[in-house]
Amino acid sequence: MIAARLGSLLLLAALALPASAAPRGTVTGILRYKGCLTGVPGATVSVIGRERQVRSDTGGRFLVELPPGKYSLVIRGPSLVPDQRVDDVMVGAGKLSDLGIVEVWADERPALCVPDAAAAAMTGGVEPTVAAAPDLPALDLPGSQVTVGGSSQGHVLVRGSPGSGPGQFGLQGNPAREDEDALGPPTFAVGPAGGLLVLDVLNGRVQRFDARGKFQGSFPVGRPGQEPVYESDLAVADDGSIFLVTESDNPTLTQYDPSGKVLLSGALPPSFKGVDQILAVRGRPTFLMLNGQSVRAELGWGGIRAEGPRPGLPAGDVFVQVERAGRWSALVRFAAADGRVRRTVNLRSAVPIARVRLVGVNRRGDVVLAVDRQDGADDETTRAEILLLSLTPQGQIAGTVVVPPGDRRWLFREFALAPDGSVVQMQSDVGEVRLVRWPLPSSPKDAAAGEGTLRGRILDGARPATGASVSVVRAHRSALVGPDGTFEIRMPPGTWLVVFRRSSAPGVPESAPVELKVSVTAGGTIDVGSVQLAAP
C-alpha cells in the first residue's frame, strides 16, 4: 500500500473562491466536554455540504469562515461519541457568529473534570450549546482472544522464492523485521476471472498467475535504466484493464490492456502524491483514496480528469470510511455524496484493536475490512491476528475469518478482493512470498447493528421439536431449531408476528402453526421461554 500522506492541495484548490464572491462570515466556539471545564483539543469540526474542516486548538477553540447561509456542524474526535452535530448555525456576510461554549459528549468521563454545578458557576451561568449525539448502533466482533496462526481455512495459491526466474520475486532484507531496506513486491491485484497480478518491482515486471496460482507470464513496467518506484499500487477493472499508479516526485497513472500493453499514461496532480490506494470501481474509472476520501481520476487522450473529493470509498449509493476509535472499538461510517452521515456502526472488540483498514467493496456491495488486533501474552510477548470482516451497508456482519499477520510493511498492500468474495493476502518473509486465499464464511450469528435477539425453546409434547422452523412475518427472517429445541434469531426493532411450525412428513397433513406476537428493542434480548407446538 502506498504511504499515506495528506493530499491537502486538492482540498485547498476545491475551497478556492473567486474574488467576486460575497463576503464570508465567521463561526467560532469553544468545545468542552459535557459538564466539564476541560477543553477538547484536536477535535475536527466539519461543515455538512462544504469541503470545509478545521481543528480545535489546545483550549478547544475553533474558527471557520463560511459564505452566508444556514449550516450544520459535525464534531468528531478520538475521545468523543462520533458524529455529534450542531444544527441551524446562521452565518451572515461579514459577521461573527459566536456559539460560545459548545458541550460535546465524551466516550468516557475525562480524568480532570469540574462537576456540573461548579462548571456553571465558573462560566457565569451562561447556557452552553449542547451538541446532539446520535444513537450509535454497535456490533460485537467475534473472538475473546488472539488466534495465533489464524484459522485453517486459508489456501496457498502461490509460493515464490527469491530470484528473477518465472514465479520468483525480488526480495531484499526481512520484511518481518521492518528493516529500512526490506523490499519485495509492494502490491498485487486480483483480476475479474480470479487471476493474480503481482508487481515484482525489483525485477521491473508484473507477474501473472491464474486463479489456481499457475504462472502465466509477465510484462515489463518502468523504463530500463531508471530506478524502480517502490511506492506503487495496482488495480484491475472489470474488463481486465490494468491501472498502475507510481508515487514518485512526479506521480503517474498508467493504463495497460489485459495483455500488458501500455494504452495511456499521464502525470497526476501533485496533490495525488501520497495516496492510500488505487481501486478500480464500477468499470474503468479509478478511485484514489486521499486521507479517507476518494477522488475519481479518469484517463483519456486529453490527459487525466480528476473529480472529487468524495466522502469515502464508493459502496453502492453511499460512501464508506473506517477509523480506529480507541483501543476497543472502530467506527464504520456510511455517508451520502454530500457528506451527510446516514449510518455509523461501532465495532466493539474484546481484543485490543491496533488499526483498521478498508480492503474494498465486493460485488454484493458488502464492505470488507481488515481489523488488526493484538494482545500481550503472560510472558509479555505480543500476539497478533487480523480479523477479516464483511459488513453490509445496513450494518450487518456478512462473514468473518481470522488470518495471521502477513508481515508486510505498512506502506505496502496486504489484501485484495477476489471476484468470488474471498480475500487474497500477500505474506512475506526472508525466504519467500506467499499469496493465500481466505474465504469469508457467513457469520454464525447474523448480527446487525441496532437489532435485537429473540430466543427460546420449542417443544413437541415433552420432547424438543427437532427440525421445526421459526419465521417472522414481513421481516423475511427465519431460523432452524437445534436438536435440543432451542432457537435464536436476530430481528429489527418493532412488534412482530413470529410463526412456529413443526416439520411435516410426506403425505402427512401439516398441523396448525403457533403464532406469537413479540416486541423487540434495539440491542435487547427477548427470551420467550418454551413454546408448545399444537397437537397434530
Side-chain angles (χ1 to χ4, degrees), residues 98-327:
D98 191 347
L99 301 179
I101 296 173
V102 179
E103 291 191 331
V104 291
W105 302 85
D107 278 332
E108 298 180 1
R109 189 172 180 82
L112 300 175
C113 180
V114 179
D116 293 351
M122 295 179 67
T123 55
V126 177
E127 190 71 21
T129 300
V130 181
D135 295 331
L136 184 62
L139 289 175
D140 292 323
L141 297 179
S144 58
Q145 60 185 7
V146 169
T147 303
V148 179
S151 73
S152 59
Q153 298 172 329
H155 172 62
V156 179
L157 298 174
V158 174
R159 290 183 181 272
S161 60
S164 57
Q168 294 182 319
F169 300 102
L171 288 173
Q172 176 179 306
N174 186 356
R177 295 178 181 174
E178 297 186 357
D179 294 336
E180 184 70 23
D181 295 329
L183 297 172
T187 184
F188 72 104
V190 184
L196 305 172
L197 294 97
V198 184
L199 178 58
D200 184 12
V201 68
L202 290 177
N203 289 319
R205 62 186 179 180
V206 171
Q207 296 201 70
R208 298 173 171 279
F209 303 86
D210 64 16
R212 297 183 177 181
K214 183 179 179 181
F215 178 73
Q216 297 288 297
S218 63
F219 61 88
V221 294
R223 296 181 180 178
Q226 286 190 342
E227 186 73 18
V229 179
Y230 305 110
E231 296 180 352
S232 304
D233 203 9
L234 275 176
V236 183
D238 292 340
D239 62 358
S241 298
I242 303 164
F243 298 94
L244 173 65
V245 61
T246 58
E247 189 208 321
S248 60
D249 291 336
N250 300 306
T252 61
L253 179 64
T254 305
Q255 179 179 346
Y256 301 82
D257 70 8
S259 67
K261 179 182 177 181
V262 176
L263 295 178
L264 296 167
S265 184
L268 290 168
S271 56
F272 280 76
K273 188 177 187 299
V275 300
D276 283 336
Q277 60 184 229
I278 177 175
L279 297 165
V281 181
R282 298 172 185 168
R284 300 174 68 86
T286 302
F287 287 82
L288 303 171
M289 302 304 297
L290 291 175
N291 208 30
Q293 297 180 319
S294 66
V295 176
R296 177 174 136 172
E298 191 168 0
L299 279 168
W301 291 109
I304 293 179
R305 182 169 60 91
E307 298 177 0
R310 298 294 178 89
L313 177 68
D317 61 345
V318 295
F319 297 83
V320 61
Q321 284 189 4
V322 301
E323 68 172 286
R324 178 180 178 270
R327 180 176 170 84

Side-chain angles (χ1 to χ4, degrees), residues 52-96:
R52 193 74 177 98
Q53 178 175 294
V54 297
R55 288 187 179 275
S56 59
D57 62 17
T58 55
R61 181 176 292 277
F62 68 92
L63 185 148
V64 56
E65 293 184 351
L66 292 167
K70 184 167 69 173
Y71 298 94
S72 292
L73 308 181
V74 178
I75 304 167
R76 302 186 180 109
S79 60
L80 302 177
V81 172
D83 299 327
Q84 301 183 53
R85 292 176 58 154
V86 177
D87 294 315
D88 300 327
V89 177
M90 298 301 301
V91 179
K95 295 183 178 181
L96 175 67

